[in-house]
Amino acid sequence: MVTQPFARLRVRGLILQTLIAVGAVLLGVHALYRLRGRNEDASTSMLLAYGVMLLVLIARGKLAGLSWRRLYGSAPKPHMLPLLGVVVPLALITAATLILFFVPLSYLAPELVQHTILDDSPLGQINTATQFWMVFANITIAAPLVEELFFRGFVLHRFAHKWGTSAGVLGSSALFAVGHVEWIGHFVTGVVFALIYVRTRSLWMSVLAHAVYNGIFAASIAWNFFTHQPEETQTLAQFQDSLTGGMLAFVAGLFLMWLYRDLYWKDAPVTEIMEGPVPYDAAAMSGDG
């Protein structure tokens, strides 16, 4: 019989408990910085937030009787690694959809776009090598580990327990997208990471895909920092002129995604994967863990 800890791991409760715990710790850190008369380090606070979130998830999983071995599955195997090639078209699609959505919006709400997109650069947090490595660790290690455990590990299985695997994949991806500035590309990204997880039954594969995907964007930060080239502040007019480039990137991303699907997913139809069991249930039924 398949045990169901996800009958008790409710998403609303997880979100509320995580927000309360993270909020309390960050308020305490903020107060401590003020007492010491120091400026708060955003990258350190973010890394701390991910750490608190991870502790909440571990505690909730333990209370629910979760089998971590069933949830995470096996380590990535060599034949799985080509699936990581999807990060290239995903990066193109995400960058393109950001442009295609926010450029039209910039004519209606220029100040919103200026503040949300153009002024919010990770390089603005970096003045020292220590700060760089903190930002890099957030992007390529903390975010993939914690976000995959939350969205693909907990949320996907909870929604699948209630409504089936398809709902788990789509619902967890929608929630993942809401947590990011650009929704469309991140929804697609969430779906792909979820499909990789359900197909391989290895949460480590979706963590690795997420890390490589984030690493593409982190590489540009590293290049600018280590070559001592300050990032050019893009004006609103320059951003609006990038619409054609965004369209080309979107088409290129779709084409590469089609090639990727043709190469690596012919023998694993998406519809069949979304109709099958989620990894935790599959592992339980096979007696693994």
Side-chain angles (χ1 to χ4, degrees):
M1 181 178 178
V2 177
T3 57
Q4 280 294 353
F6 296 100
R8 298 186 290 275
L9 288 168
R10 297 179 180 178
V11 172
R12 283 175 294 181
L14 283 172
I15 293 174
L16 181 60
Q17 291 159 5
T18 300
L19 288 175
I20 291 173
V22 170
V25 170
L26 292 185
L27 282 174
V29 171
H30 177 70
L32 186 61
Y33 271 106
R34 292 195 65 181
L35 284 173
R36 293 184 175 183
R38 295 172 55 187
N39 293 326
E40 191 169 348
D41 188 335
S43 59
T44 302
S45 297
M46 181 59 70
L47 194 59
L48 182 60
Y50 276 125
V52 172
M53 185 175 178
L54 181 60
L55 290 175
V56 171
L57 294 176
I58 291 173
R60 285 304 314 277
K62 185 175 181 179
L63 288 173
L66 186 70
S67 168
W68 299 104
R69 182 176 176 181
R70 290 176 183 172
L71 187 72
Y72 274 92
S74 64
K77 296 178 173 58
H79 72 273
M80 299 177 182
L81 297 182
L83 294 175
L84 300 177
V86 75
V87 299
V88 176
L90 277 181
L92 285 170
I93 291 171
T94 302
T97 50
L98 183 144
I99 292 171
L100 296 178
F101 177 78
F102 282 99
V103 166
L105 183 62
S106 68
Y107 292 99
L108 301 173
E111 292 184 2
L112 174 65
V113 173
Q114 180 72 44
H115 175 72
T116 305
I117 303 299
L118 304 182
D119 294 340
D120 188 21
S121 169
L123 277 179
Q125 307 171 20
I126 301 174
N127 295 308
T128 66
T130 300
Q131 289 176 330
F132 166 78
W133 288 115
M134 292 294 287
V135 171
F136 195 82
N138 273 316
I139 295 173
T140 61
I141 300 174
L145 282 172
V146 178
E147 291 181 11
E148 289 308 304
L149 177 58
F150 184 83
F151 292 105
R152 257 60 70 181
F154 282 57
V155 177
L156 187 154
H157 281 92
R158 170 60 181 175
F159 287 171
H161 170 72
K162 293 184 70 176
W163 302 299
T165 301
S166 295
V169 170
L170 298 177
S172 62
S173 301
L175 199 58
F176 175 71
V178 169
H180 295 79
V181 173
E182 189 281 316
W183 292 357
I184 301 173
H186 280 94
F187 173 75
V188 174
T189 299
V191 169
V192 172
F193 290 166
L195 290 174
I196 288 175
Y197 176 36
V198 176
R199 174 178 171 177
T200 63
R201 298 178 183 175
S202 171
L203 189 60
W204 296 115
M205 273 298 294
S206 65
V207 170
L208 189 56
H210 197 150
V212 175
Y213 170 83
N214 283 5
I216 292 176
F217 298 100
S220 64
I221 300 173
W223 173 261
N224 285 328
F225 178 75
F226 286 109
T227 58
H228 305 289
Q229 295 181 12
E231 186 180 48
E232 295 183 4
T233 302
Q234 192 178 31
T235 66
L236 194 64
Q238 290 172 328
F239 180 64
Q240 291 170 341
D241 288 340
S242 66
L243 187 60
T244 300
M247 292 178 180
L248 292 175
F250 187 72
V251 172
L254 289 180
F255 177 69
L256 290 176
M257 187 68 79
W258 175 78
L259 287 179
Y260 167 82
R261 178 179 175 275
D262 192 54
L263 283 171
Y264 301 116
W265 288 78
K266 268 189 173 181
D267 299 329
V270 170
T271 52
E272 290 185 10
I273 291 173
M274 294 183 71
E275 291 172 359
V278 287
Y280 194 90
D281 292 351
M285 288 185 290
S286 66
D288 188 9

